[in-house]
Amino acid sequence: MSWAAEQAAALDELAEAFGAEAEWLPFSGGSPLNHAVLFESATRDFHLDAHGDGFDLSIPDADFVVTYPNDAFAGLKAGVDAGHYEELSISVDGKPHGLYAVRQVKAVGDGSIYQAKLSAAQD
């Protein structure tokens, strides 16, 4: 198994155990695609950092981010790069979490993993 394949497999295992489920219905049509993803948001990645004598409340950037193997949503990056309005529906622990507009998709490392920046979708 190649290093890229190992990375994608490890990501899949993490996403299945600790992640969320994402569904994408392509702008250009076709069947919805579902895949386990790692999902980060201000509400899911909240933490306290100790600085000096006290605590500093640290809230990460308000961006929502999903991380997934590059073949999980074939065509999503191309659609976003072409300027299409693409959305992902996210479910956490089997419960709907929200609908998100995909703003950007970028390759991570060797390109076997993608990260997508999301914003809450407008009604």
Side-chain angles (χ1 to χ4, degrees):
M1 180 182 288
S2 71
W3 184 83
E6 288 177 11
Q7 293 293 78
L11 174 61
D12 276 340
E13 285 183 37
L14 283 171
E16 286 291 331
F18 304 107
E21 184 73 19
E23 179 178 81
W24 172 50
L25 181 59
F27 172 86
S28 59
S31 299
L33 298 174
N34 295 286
H35 203 276
V37 298
L38 294 180
F39 177 65
E40 300 173 46
S41 74
T43 58
R44 287 183 54 87
D45 193 23
F46 185 83
H47 60 279
L48 292 173
D49 287 333
H51 292 283
D53 293 331
F55 282 100
D56 174 37
L57 187 60
S58 176
I59 300 174
D61 191 348
D63 282 337
F64 299 91
V65 177
V66 292
T67 305
Y68 59 93
N70 68 357
D71 61 352
F73 300 112
L76 177 60
K77 181 175 181 359
V80 171
D81 290 348
H84 298 154
Y85 181 77
E86 303 287 358
E87 293 178 331
L88 288 176
S89 176
I90 304 292
S91 297
V92 177
D93 296 328
K95 297 176 186 159
H97 188 277
L99 186 62
Y100 299 90
V102 182
R103 293 195 335 260
Q104 175 188 32
V105 179
K106 67 177 185 173
V108 177
D110 67 353
S112 62
I113 294 172
Y114 280 174
Q115 282 190 327
K117 282 191 176 185
L118 314 173
S119 296
Q122 302 298 316
D123 292 332

